[in-house]
């Protein structure tokens, strides 16, 4: 699902949020990753987010 489609749905639904580390896009990505992965733990989903952030050069939160 393209990011643009998610952003469009958020705009159409008039969902308001502040730009945070776990914004709606990251939260949805983590949820879908958790559901589709064989390791369905929350720890695994958060670890993937942290790895993605580290790769992007963003300061990562503590686990």
């Amino acid at each position: 699902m393209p990011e643009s489609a998610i952003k469009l749905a958020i705009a159409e639904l008039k969902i308001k949020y502040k730009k945070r580390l776990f914004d709606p896009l990251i939260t949805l990505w983590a949820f879908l990753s958790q559901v589709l992965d064989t390791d369905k733990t929350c720890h695994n989903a958060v670890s993937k987010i942290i790895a993605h952030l580290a790769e992007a050069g963003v300061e990562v939160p503590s686990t």
Side-chain angles (χ1 to χ4, degrees):
M1 180 180 310
E3 183 177 335
S4 60
I6 298 168
K7 287 183 176 183
L8 179 62
I10 289 170
E12 287 178 356
L13 294 170
K14 298 179 182 169
I15 297 172
K16 295 181 181 182
Y17 65 94
K18 294 182 180 180
K19 181 63 179 157
R20 303 275 193 234
L21 183 61
F22 290 92
D23 64 12
L25 294 171
I26 295 292
T27 302
L28 180 61
W29 179 75
F31 170 74
L32 292 174
S33 172
Q34 185 176 7
V35 169
L36 296 173
D37 201 320
T38 55
D39 180 354
K40 299 191 181 302
T41 63
C42 184
H43 181 269
N44 184 49
V46 171
S47 293
K48 285 182 178 183
I49 292 170
I50 290 172
H52 173 73
L53 294 172
E55 187 176 291
V58 177
E59 184 178 344
V60 295
S62 65
T63 57

